[in-house]
RNA sequence: GGGCAGUUAGCUUAGCGGUAGAGCACCUCGUUUACACCGAGGGGGUCGGGGGUUCGAACCCCUCACUGCCCACCA
């Protein structure tokens, strides 16, 4: 007797099983195991983050891989954890502080502020981990790591020291990307260029040696004029080359209009603007480099927060940079030096976090010259590490080829403090060490870029034994947006510190977009809350639905109806199992090959075999959508729509006991396979059904991954019956016969084997009776004609409609025949085409000829048919 | 300015050289005792445009258009 409800209700099932899995410690990875290893490290989400659709996609994929590996008998480590996410977390806490206490971090002081961040972390840090559990993730939670764990932090510092000693880390005063809101330097990767509608201002600079003569300069940033220390032209430019060596009068600040030299530099583009560039070495990266080449002086006219300082002049001091721009334009206008303004579109670098234009700024920072860049390139190029999809290899290679030193210091408080100490009395004396060298020493106030800790994630999260067993990890699953931030850097770090690649495969997911193709984001409010989706459709429904629409490496158009379909699929599976339970208890060891197979059992088992092959293929290539689609088609189509309907016929009718047993065994065997194949994608419902059906006392998680069997070959006779049933159903609809109306069908057969399958055909057609007509006494026509038998629907059809139907079909057949024949008559076709194709066409033509013949006879005979 | 993807039925997509396939949505019929989160049937596509290669192109090549990403110091 079935105890299952008519609809699958995920909530209770999911909670129950997840608790059980944890209790049984199934996810624990044993480094002493003799099984072969499979390992993944989670891309650590921000510790204060909440689950997004991106996380769902990413972690579902990892879970699928881990669960499949467990079923294959591997020892699986899925190592979870979170990232301290320097800027992101600090910003959140600072914002909160401002809101609730109206204080800044400086009001609190470093120590107190850090205490607040830790509190915040304790309070909100676990959220995303709990959410991952709701999704069903099978991580080894005992090994949960945090990038600011003591041991991990220690390793970060050690790596800094090591790289310093190797001469790869150095301190320097350089142009960096400065965020005037976060008040810190950023790496190039944290700067997002955005096209902006700007204005190009044309300004006149008077030539000192030739009063009354001016050089015209085009600039988008007139507020930096006060920082100009030269004017540059291309030495090849005939318009200006004679001016090189002379001087210009810098128009601002008005109280200090210095003369600055006119220099020649081949960097200047003759075509752009007027071909004259104002050089502001303190506020532009390119200008800085020009300045270096010509030993120009540097005037820094800005404060760290983006306002102007005293050097900008009294009218500008303390003005925000954008206010200063307006004032500068106004003053130039008053001086008569502004020739014109024109609208201009350019790219401006924005701070990734604060979303304001970054300010190129000269400051003292720590830089890293990357280690093992060549080896890292080779690892991917020679496919020691394989990228899925492959095309990201090029992106990766291009970045490494043009790699720039990495600015690793951040002027933040939340993060790993730089292990460098300065002598209080002599700041130029430094020591690099984990601990303070003594009382007279003061630690560098900066912290390290978050990614400087993340790049050690695949190995410094593991102890010795774990490393020995599980490193290098099997696969990394991540988004292509962090290929530089994280993937490339981990490869270099792995090679440097473990002398070994950190992972064998990298699977890049797509980016989830909304229906309109926009990236999902909080500010747009177009991102559904995955937890809402889980409570509406179940974790399995969400997982399955998402996998089905996630093509490899392509962006994903998210549509909630896809998740509805996932839920519906789970329900379908649930009910198929319910149906089975209504027939009595199952045989966990069912083996159909021990039974005399029917056409239909044979056919289904062959299709199951195909499904298995397809699944293994999909896994090998990381084609997750194919896995979901393959199972969907097999379960819903082949198994439920066709086979279970056949089974009803076997169970209800007078068919013999042997057929019933073969059918039952096939259902049991197939369900056992379906549940196992499906388990990686939908872990909860499969675990529940595994137990409800009684396949095993234990969990499904370690049930063997199914192997293809050579026993079952395909059975075309079954397929033929299915096709003719479809045709007959069409006929029924054609005559508007309600599907519940039982009608008489006549069956004319050509081969005797069909007689054994009549009860099935009758059930599938919902026929009142199926009356056999022998070929001898049959009417010479048939209304539905497939292969070995004809199925006329008797008594309810009329001559004219049938004539029309047949005529239409005849026309279509003739047209097809013409088309095929044209090809065959083409001499070069026969010459050039492979024989198999030729044969195919010939067969098609022959079949069409037969069909045309038959149809013509039938049309003629329609007139003679007495019962119409 | 370079590079990489994508453009197939209203929507989401499969197919990647041999006469376009699925799911959802839509229309018709149906409370056939697993499932209305269901069943049966149906309509709907000149596969972004234009060239080319081929006996044959959604599929290969060229080109254009649009969309999206990435890289790049033209102020």
């Amino acid at each position: 007797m079935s105890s299952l409800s008519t609809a699958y209700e995920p909530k209770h099932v999911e909670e129950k099983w997840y608790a059980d899995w944890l209790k049984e410690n199934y996810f624990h990875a044993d480094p002493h195991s003799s099984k072969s290893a499979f390992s993944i490290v989670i891309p650590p989400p921000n510790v204060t983050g909440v689950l997004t659709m991106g996380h769902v996609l990413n972690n579902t994929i990892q879970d699928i891989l881990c669960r499949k590996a467990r079923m294959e008998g591997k020892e699986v480590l899925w190592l979870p954890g979170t990232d301290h996410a320097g800027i992101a977390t600090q910003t959140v806490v600072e914002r909160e502080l401002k809101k609730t206490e109206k204080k800044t971090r400086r009001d609190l002081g470093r120590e107190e502020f850090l205490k607040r961040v830790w509190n915040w972390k304790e309070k909100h840090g676990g959220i995303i981990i709990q959410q991952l559990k709701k999704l069903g993730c099978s991580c080894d939670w005992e090994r949960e790591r945090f990038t600011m764990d003591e041991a991990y932090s220690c390793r970060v510092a050690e790596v800094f020291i090591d790289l310093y000693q190797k001469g790869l880390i150095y301190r320097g005063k350089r142009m960096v990307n400065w965020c005037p809101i976060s008040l810190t330097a950023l790496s190039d990767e944290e700067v997002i260029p955005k096209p902006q509608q700007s204005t190009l201002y044309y300004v006149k600079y008077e030539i000192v040696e030739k009063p009354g003569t001016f050089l015209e300069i085009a600039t988008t940033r007139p507020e930096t004029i006060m920082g100009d220390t030269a004017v540059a032209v291309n030495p090849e430019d005939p318009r200006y080359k004679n001016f090189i060596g002379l001087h210009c009068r810098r128009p601002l600040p008005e109280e200090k209009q210095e003369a600055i030299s006119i220099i020649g530099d081949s960097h200047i583009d003759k075509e752009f603007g007027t071909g004259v560039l104002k050089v502001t070495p303190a506020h532009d990266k390119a200008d800085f480099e020009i300045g270096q080449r010509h030993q120009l002086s540097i005037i820094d006219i800005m404060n760290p927060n983006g306002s102007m300082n005293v050097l900008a002049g009294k009218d500008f001091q303390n003005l925000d940079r954008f206010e200063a721009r307006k004032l500068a334009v106004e003053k130039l206008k008053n001086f008569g030096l502004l020739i014109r303004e024109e609208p201009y579109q350019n790219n401006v670098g924005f701070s990734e976090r604060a979303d304001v234009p970054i300010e190129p700024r000269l400051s003292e920072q720590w830089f890293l010259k990357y280690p093992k860049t060549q080896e890292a390139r080779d690892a991917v190029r020679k496919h020691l590490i394989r990228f899925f999809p492959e095309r990201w290899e090029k992106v990766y290679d291009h970045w490494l080829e043009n790699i720039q030193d990495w600015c690793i210091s951040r002027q933040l408080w939340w993060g790993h403090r730089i292990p460098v100490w300065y002598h209080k009395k002599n700041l130029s004396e430094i020591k690099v060490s984990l601990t303070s060298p003594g009382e007279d020493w003061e630690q560098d106030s900066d912290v390290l870029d978050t990614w400087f800790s993340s790049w050690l994630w695949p190995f410094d999260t593991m102890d010795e034994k774990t490393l020995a067993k599980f490193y290098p990890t099997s696969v990394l699953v991540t988004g292509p947006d962090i290929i530089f931030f994280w993937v490339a850097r981990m490869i270099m770090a792995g090679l440097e510190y473990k002398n070994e690649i950190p992972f064998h495969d990298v699977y890049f997911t797509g980016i989830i977009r909304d229906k309109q193709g926009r990236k999902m984001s909080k500010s747009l409010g177009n991102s559904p809350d995955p937890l809402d989706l889980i409570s509406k459709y179940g974790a399995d429904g969400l997982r399955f639905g998402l996998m089905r629409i996630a093509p490899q490496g392509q962006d994903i158009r998210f549509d909630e109806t896809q998740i509805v379909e996932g839920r519906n699929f789970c329900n379908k599976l649930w009910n198929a199992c319910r149906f089975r339970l209504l027939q009595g208890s199952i045989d966990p060891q069912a083996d159909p090959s021990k039974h005399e197979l029917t056409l239909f059992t044979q056919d289904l088992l062959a299709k199951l075999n195909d499904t298995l092959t397809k699944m293994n293929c999909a896994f090998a290539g990381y084609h997750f959508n194919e896995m979901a689609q393959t199972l969907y088609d097999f379960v819903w189509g082949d198994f439920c729509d066709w086979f279970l309907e056949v089974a009803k016929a076997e169970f209800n009718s007078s068919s013999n006991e042997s057929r019933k047993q073969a059918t039952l065994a096939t259902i049991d065997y197939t369900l056992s396979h379906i549940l196992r194949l499906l388990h990686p994608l939908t872990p909860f419902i499969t675990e529940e059904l595994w137990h409800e059906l009684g396949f095993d006392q234990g969990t499904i998680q370690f049930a063997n991954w199914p192997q293809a069997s050579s026993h079952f070959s395909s059975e075309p006779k079954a397929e033929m019956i299915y096709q003719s049933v479809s045709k007959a159903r069409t006929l029924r609809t054609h005559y508007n016969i309600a599907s519940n109306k039982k009608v008489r069908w006549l069956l004319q057969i050509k081969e005797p084997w069909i007689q054994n399958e009549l009860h099935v055909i009758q059930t599938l057609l919902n026929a009142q009776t199926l009356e056999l007509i022998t070929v001898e006494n049959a009417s010479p026509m048939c209304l539905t004609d497939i292969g070995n038998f004809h199925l006329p629907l008797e008594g309810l059809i009329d001559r004219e409609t049938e004539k029309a139907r047949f005529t239409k079909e005849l026309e279509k057949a003739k047209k097809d025949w013409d088309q095929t024949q044209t090809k065959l008559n083409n001499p070069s076709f026969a010459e050039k085409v492979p024989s198999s194709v030729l044969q195919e066409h010939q067969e098609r033509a022959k079949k069409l000829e037969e069909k045309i013949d038959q149809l013509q006879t039938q049309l003629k005979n329609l007139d003679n048919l007495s019962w119409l």
Side-chain angles (χ1 to χ4, degrees), chain A residues 169-183:
Chain A
I169 285 180
Y170 60 92
R171 194 165 185 241
K173 194 160 192 180
R174 294 242 233 125
M175 236 17 198
V176 296
N177 308 300
W178 183 263
C179 173
I181 297 293
S182 311
L183 300 179

Side-chain angles (χ1 to χ4, degrees), chain A residues 441-550:
Chain A
W441 296 81
E442 199 167 39
Q443 188 168 12
D444 193 305
S445 59
D446 291 352
V447 300
L448 290 162
D449 181 3
T450 301
W451 299 101
F452 191 87
S453 69
S454 322
W455 74 332
L456 311 175
W457 190 252
F459 42 91
D460 280 331
T461 46
M462 301 183 192
D463 59 32
E464 290 277 314
K465 282 176 193 159
T466 310
L467 272 174
K469 179 77 187 171
F470 293 106
Y471 188 86
T473 62
S474 310
V475 49
L476 177 80
V477 179
T478 192
D481 46 334
I482 54 176
I483 190 166
F484 311 136
F485 278 113
W486 198 44
V487 180
R489 288 169 180 165
M490 279 192 289
I491 294 174
M492 289 185 272
L495 290 167
E496 179 73 7
Y497 288 103
K498 290 288 164 264
N499 205 22
E500 180 62 282
I501 52 169
F503 25 72
H504 294 290
D505 291 353
V506 182
Y507 176 80
F508 290 106
T509 66
I511 291 165
I512 302 197
R513 307 178 164 282
D514 69 5
K515 270 186 176 174
Q516 286 99 42
R518 300 173 306 178
K519 207 167 166 173
M520 284 194 167
S521 76
K522 265 188 193 162
S523 52
L524 276 175
N526 58 353
S527 176
D529 180 352
L531 291 184
D532 285 349
L533 295 174
I534 289 177
S535 68
K536 273 165 88 177
Y537 308 112
D540 288 334
L542 173 61
R543 290 166 61 122
F544 192 86
L546 190 59
M547 283 305 104
R548 227 170 128 230
I549 54 165

Side-chain angles (χ1 to χ4, degrees), chain A residues 15-26 687 699:
Chain A
E15 278 170 16
K16 177 182 75 179
W17 284 116
Y18 204 84
D20 182 75
W21 295 338
L22 288 183
K23 196 182 101 223
E24 300 291 340
N25 216 15
Y26 290 143
E687 181 77 291
T699 175

